């Protein structure tokens, strides 16, 4: 949740985050097309820079000018930093001639989110972004159930989910260890090609990924409860709630490819479709998935 300079640079230098975010935000842009009052529910806003993409898209509308853009961020820590993120976003929106407001909802755990905490208006078109957060709600499964039930009640036009793609969910420790080690090696390889050895953000990334990898492989700490899964498993999860997978458009695919090709060191990064969803990979290994969901 901490929008530090190192985190911003780390995400900017690695291709997976930006490629997935551009595809996800493009999907939201398409589903709020024509809406004059838009409400975004972000379950893990972090730096918030992803919403500048949406703002620029909305500002270029020739018809159906947006009357009000509202962003609600759900956070579990660092309220002051999240509010700073909100102030930056509101300032940016105003520079785009957009009326924008920002709200923060603090909870001890995302599973404790309640509908009465959300200030939604019936005239608003609601979209939800769950960026690298769903996997933190799978243990126990009731936590994810609780969050989805709240989201369903606000009737979003679309819910975009981005997740790390991989099967690190085996009940057998040896399999878990090998899967986690292989996935970590892919991330470290991408850092080696996209970041200089002395750059502070590379050190930040190595320290962060190294610490998480150690906890996962040793089977200790909160990371043991965070289980990444392949997109097929997420499909089974969401269908239990009566959610219907939406087709990502050609425009979303184009935005992802354009971003993946925009930096020389990103040449090993590739994107492809898996059914209706988009996969971002490194040297052919899936790293992130982007899926879009509607409530039946």
């Amino acid at each position: 949740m901490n929008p530090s300079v190192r985190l911003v640079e780390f995400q900017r230098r690695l291709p997976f985050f930006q490629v997935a975010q551009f595809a996800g935000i493009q999907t939201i842009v398409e589903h709020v097309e024509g809406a004059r009052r838009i409400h975004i529910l972000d379950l893990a806003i972090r730096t918030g820079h992803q919403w500048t993409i949406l703002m620029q898209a909305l500002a270029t509308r020739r018809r159906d000018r947006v009357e009000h853009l509202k962003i609600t961020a759900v956070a579990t820590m660092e309220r002051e930093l999240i509010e700073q993120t909100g102030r930056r976003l509101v300032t940016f929106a105003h520079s785009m001639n957009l009326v924008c407001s920002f709200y923060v909802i603090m909870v001890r755990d995302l599973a404790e989110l309640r509908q009465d905490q959300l200030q939604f208006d019936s005239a608003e078109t609601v979209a939800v972004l769950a960026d690298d957060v769903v996997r933190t709600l799978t243990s126990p499964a009731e936590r994810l159930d609780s969050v989805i039930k709240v989201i369903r009640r606000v009737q979003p036009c679309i819910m975009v989910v981005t997740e790390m793609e991989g099967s690190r969910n085996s009940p057998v420790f040896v399999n878990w260890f090998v899967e986690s080690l292989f996935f970590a090696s892919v991330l470290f390889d991408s850092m080696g090609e996209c970041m200089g050895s002395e750059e502070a953000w590379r050190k930040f990334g190595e320290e962060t990924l190294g610490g998480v990898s150690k906890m996962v492989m040793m089977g200790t700490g909160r990371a043991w409860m965070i289980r990444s899964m392949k997109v097929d498993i997420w499909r089974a999860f969401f269908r239990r709630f009566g959610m219907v997978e939406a087709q990502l458009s050609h425009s979303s695919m184009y935005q992802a490819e354009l971003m993946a090709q925009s930096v020389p060191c990103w040449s090993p990064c590739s994107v492809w479709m898996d059914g209706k969803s988009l996969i971002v990979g490194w040297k052919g290994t899936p790293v992130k998935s982007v899926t879009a969901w509607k409530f039946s």
Side-chain angles (χ1 to χ4, degrees):
M1 294 290 183
N2 188 340
S4 67
V5 173
R6 291 190 302 173
L7 175 59
V8 172
E9 284 298 324
F10 176 70
Q11 291 192 347
R12 189 174 69 85
R13 296 297 181 106
L14 284 190
F16 322 115
F17 303 102
Q18 290 192 71
V19 173
Q21 282 181 346
F22 263 75
I25 297 302
Q26 174 64 30
T27 301
I28 291 176
V29 168
E30 293 166 4
H31 282 82
V32 300
E33 185 177 5
R36 291 181 174 274
R37 301 182 67 82
I38 300 168
H39 194 155
I40 301 296
L41 177 61
D42 193 326
L43 300 182
I45 196 164
R46 301 184 181 92
T47 66
H49 69 273
Q50 63 272 17
W51 298 120
T52 63
I53 305 169
L54 174 67
M55 291 173 183
Q56 291 177 79
L58 296 178
T60 59
R61 276 188 184 178
R62 295 184 178 180
R63 298 183 301 173
D64 301 318
R65 293 286 297 177
V66 176
E67 296 175 0
H68 189 195
L69 171 64
K70 185 189 298 183
I71 300 174
T72 296
V74 182
T76 59
M77 62 182 75
E78 306 284 9
R79 182 183 188 110
E80 183 178 345
L81 289 172
I82 300 301
E83 289 176 342
Q84 290 175 13
T85 292
R87 288 193 288 271
R88 288 195 297 270
L89 287 174
V90 170
T91 299
F92 185 86
H94 290 168
S95 74
M96 297 281 103
N97 295 317
L98 291 173
V99 177
C100 179
S101 56
F102 184 89
Y103 300 91
V104 181
I105 297 175
M106 297 299 301
V107 291
R108 288 185 306 173
D109 186 289
L110 281 177
E112 297 179 1
L113 181 65
R114 305 187 314 273
Q115 184 182 1
D116 59 14
Q117 294 174 292
L118 303 173
Q119 302 176 25
F120 286 92
D121 188 303
S122 59
E124 295 172 339
T125 298
V126 180
V128 180
L129 177 64
D131 184 14
D132 277 331
V133 70
V134 172
R135 69 181 181 276
T136 69
L137 297 169
T138 56
S139 184
E142 291 77 12
R143 297 174 66 239
L144 180 58
D145 293 10
S146 176
V147 174
I148 294 297
K149 287 176 182 176
V150 172
I151 292 173
R152 173 189 290 278
R153 294 189 189 106
V154 301
Q155 299 180 326
C157 67
I158 197 71
M159 177 176 175
V160 172
V161 177
T162 71
E163 274 298 339
M164 304 303 285
E165 176 71 4
S167 179
R168 290 172 296 286
N169 194 37
S170 174
V172 180
F173 176 74
V174 173
N175 294 342
W176 176 292
F177 181 90
V178 172
E179 291 161 359
S180 301
L181 184 63
F182 178 73
F183 190 78
S185 69
V186 172
L187 296 181
F188 278 103
D189 181 66
S190 66
M191 283 192 289
E193 295 204 23
C194 293
M195 301 181 188
S197 59
E198 302 301 322
E199 293 181 275
W201 28 89
R202 177 172 176 177
K203 183 179 179 182
F204 167 78
E206 290 176 343
E207 290 174 348
T208 302
L209 293 175
V212 172
S213 298
K214 183 185 295 184
M215 285 191 293
V216 168
M217 294 173 190
M218 292 176 63
T220 61
R222 181 170 176 268
W224 184 247
M225 308 296 288
I226 300 176
R227 303 196 169 192
S228 296
M229 294 177 282
K230 291 186 177 180
V231 69
D232 284 341
I233 305 300
W234 289 123
R235 287 181 177 126
F237 256 89
F238 291 130
R239 285 168 183 161
R240 289 193 302 115
F241 302 105
M243 298 168 70
V244 179
E245 188 175 5
Q247 176 73 56
L248 264 67
S249 69
H250 292 298
S251 294
S252 295
M253 182 71 175
Y254 174 75
Q255 290 286 353
E257 290 178 332
L258 194 65
M259 177 56 65
Q261 296 167 5
S262 64
V263 179
C265 82
W266 289 7
S267 58
C269 178
S270 56
V271 295
W272 63 91
M273 297 301 295
D274 182 312
K276 296 180 178 180
S277 303
L278 184 142
I279 304 295
V280 186
W282 182 261
K283 297 181 179 178
T285 300
V287 176
K288 282 187 73 75
S289 64
V290 184
T291 57
W293 299 89
K294 295 185 176 184
F295 290 87
S296 59

